[in-house]
PDB file of all heavy atoms in Angstrom:
ATOM      1  N   ARG T1018     -17.488  29.077 136.757  1.00 68.00           N
ATOM      2  CA  ARG T1018     -17.815  28.887 135.387  1.00 68.00           C
ATOM      3  C   ARG T1018     -16.771  27.904 134.779  1.00 68.00           C
ATOM      4  O   ARG T1018     -15.628  28.268 134.539  1.00 68.00           O
ATOM      5  CB  ARG T1018     -17.660  30.272 134.662  1.00 68.00           C
ATOM      6  CG  ARG T1018     -18.721  31.304 134.983  1.00 68.00           C
ATOM      7  CD  ARG T1018     -20.089  30.808 134.355  1.00 68.00           C
ATOM      8  NE  ARG T1018     -21.128  31.906 134.544  1.00 68.00           N
ATOM      9  CZ  ARG T1018     -21.404  32.873 133.665  1.00 68.00           C
ATOM     10  NH1 ARG T1018     -20.698  32.940 132.632  1.00 68.00           N
ATOM     11  NH2 ARG T1018     -22.330  33.742 133.959  1.00 68.00           N
ATOM     12  N   PRO T1019     -17.258  26.626 134.609  1.00 68.00           N
ATOM     13  CA  PRO T1019     -16.243  25.644 134.155  1.00 68.00           C
ATOM     14  C   PRO T1019     -15.577  25.998 132.819  1.00 68.00           C
ATOM     15  O   PRO T1019     -16.192  26.579 131.908  1.00 68.00           O
ATOM     16  CB  PRO T1019     -17.097  24.330 133.936  1.00 68.00           C
ATOM     17  CG  PRO T1019     -18.297  24.637 134.801  1.00 68.00           C
ATOM     18  CD  PRO T1019     -18.497  26.119 134.735  1.00 68.00           C
ATOM     19  N   VAL T1020     -14.268  25.738 132.744  1.00 68.00           N
ATOM     20  CA  VAL T1020     -13.469  25.917 131.495  1.00 68.00           C
ATOM     21  C   VAL T1020     -12.872  24.664 131.001  1.00 68.00           C
ATOM     22  O   VAL T1020     -12.248  24.020 131.913  1.00 68.00           O
ATOM     23  CB  VAL T1020     -12.447  27.017 131.785  1.00 68.00           C
ATOM     24  CG1 VAL T1020     -11.592  27.309 130.439  1.00 68.00           C
ATOM     25  CG2 VAL T1020     -13.038  28.354 132.248  1.00 68.00           C
ATOM     26  N   SER T1021     -13.078  24.123 129.836  1.00 68.00           N
ATOM     27  CA  SER T1021     -12.553  22.972 129.391  1.00 68.00           C
ATOM     28  C   SER T1021     -11.082  22.965 129.235  1.00 68.00           C
ATOM     29  O   SER T1021     -10.464  23.926 129.033  1.00 68.00           O
ATOM     30  CB  SER T1021     -13.188  22.520 128.033  1.00 68.00           C
ATOM     31  OG  SER T1021     -12.735  23.417 127.038  1.00 68.00           O
ATOM     32  N   ALA T1022     -10.508  21.779 129.414  1.00 68.00           N
ATOM     33  CA  ALA T1022      -8.972  21.570 129.205  1.00 68.00           C
ATOM     34  C   ALA T1022      -8.558  22.028 127.806  1.00 68.00           C
ATOM     35  O   ALA T1022      -7.479  22.629 127.706  1.00 68.00           O
ATOM     36  CB  ALA T1022      -8.615  20.132 129.543  1.00 68.00           C
ATOM     37  N   ASP T1023      -9.361  21.717 126.830  1.00 68.00           N
ATOM     38  CA  ASP T1023      -9.006  22.095 125.406  1.00 68.00           C
ATOM     39  C   ASP T1023      -8.899  23.646 125.307  1.00 68.00           C
ATOM     40  O   ASP T1023      -8.022  24.251 124.738  1.00 68.00           O
ATOM     41  CB  ASP T1023     -10.028  21.621 124.427  1.00 68.00           C
ATOM     42  CG  ASP T1023      -9.930  20.162 124.206  1.00 68.00           C
ATOM     43  OD1 ASP T1023      -8.945  19.553 124.636  1.00 68.00           O
ATOM     44  OD2 ASP T1023     -10.903  19.506 123.731  1.00 68.00           O
ATOM     45  N   THR T1024      -9.876  24.380 125.991  1.00 73.00           N
ATOM     46  CA  THR T1024      -9.857  25.875 125.956  1.00 73.00           C
ATOM     47  C   THR T1024      -8.647  26.352 126.680  1.00 73.00           C
ATOM     48  O   THR T1024      -8.021  27.312 126.213  1.00 73.00           O
ATOM     49  CB  THR T1024     -11.120  26.346 126.605  1.00 73.00           C
ATOM     50  OG1 THR T1024     -12.316  25.951 125.890  1.00 73.00           O
ATOM     51  CG2 THR T1024     -11.218  27.897 126.577  1.00 73.00           C
ATOM     52  N   LEU T1025      -8.277  25.857 127.784  1.00 77.00           N
ATOM     53  CA  LEU T1025      -7.093  26.228 128.494  1.00 77.00           C
ATOM     54  C   LEU T1025      -5.721  26.054 127.714  1.00 77.00           C
ATOM     55  O   LEU T1025      -4.937  26.873 127.638  1.00 77.00           O
ATOM     56  CB  LEU T1025      -7.023  25.488 129.883  1.00 77.00           C
ATOM     57  CG  LEU T1025      -8.063  25.927 130.922  1.00 77.00           C
ATOM     58  CD1 LEU T1025      -7.845  25.042 132.196  1.00 77.00           C
ATOM     59  CD2 LEU T1025      -7.814  27.445 131.305  1.00 77.00           C
ATOM     60  N   ALA T1026      -5.759  24.839 127.025  1.00 78.00           N
ATOM     61  CA  ALA T1026      -4.553  24.569 126.217  1.00 78.00           C
ATOM     62  C   ALA T1026      -4.481  25.599 124.983  1.00 78.00           C
ATOM     63  O   ALA T1026      -3.391  26.118 124.711  1.00 78.00           O
ATOM     64  CB  ALA T1026      -4.592  23.092 125.695  1.00 78.00           C
ATOM     65  N   GLU T1027      -5.648  25.820 124.338  1.00 80.00           N
ATOM     66  CA  GLU T1027      -5.638  26.762 123.244  1.00 80.00           C
ATOM     67  C   GLU T1027      -5.342  28.180 123.746  1.00 80.00           C
ATOM     68  O   GLU T1027      -4.629  28.963 123.087  1.00 80.00           O
ATOM     69  CB  GLU T1027      -7.016  26.739 122.657  1.00 80.00           C
ATOM     70  CG  GLU T1027      -7.149  27.601 121.328  1.00 80.00           C
ATOM     71  CD  GLU T1027      -8.513  27.454 120.774  1.00 80.00           C
ATOM     72  OE1 GLU T1027      -9.334  26.646 121.241  1.00 80.00           O
ATOM     73  OE2 GLU T1027      -8.789  28.211 119.738  1.00 80.00           O
TER      74      GLU T1027
END
Side-chain angles (χ1 to χ4, degrees):
R1018 290 288 185 93
V1020 180
S1021 67
D1023 291 341
T1024 299
L1025 289 177
E1027 186 179 354

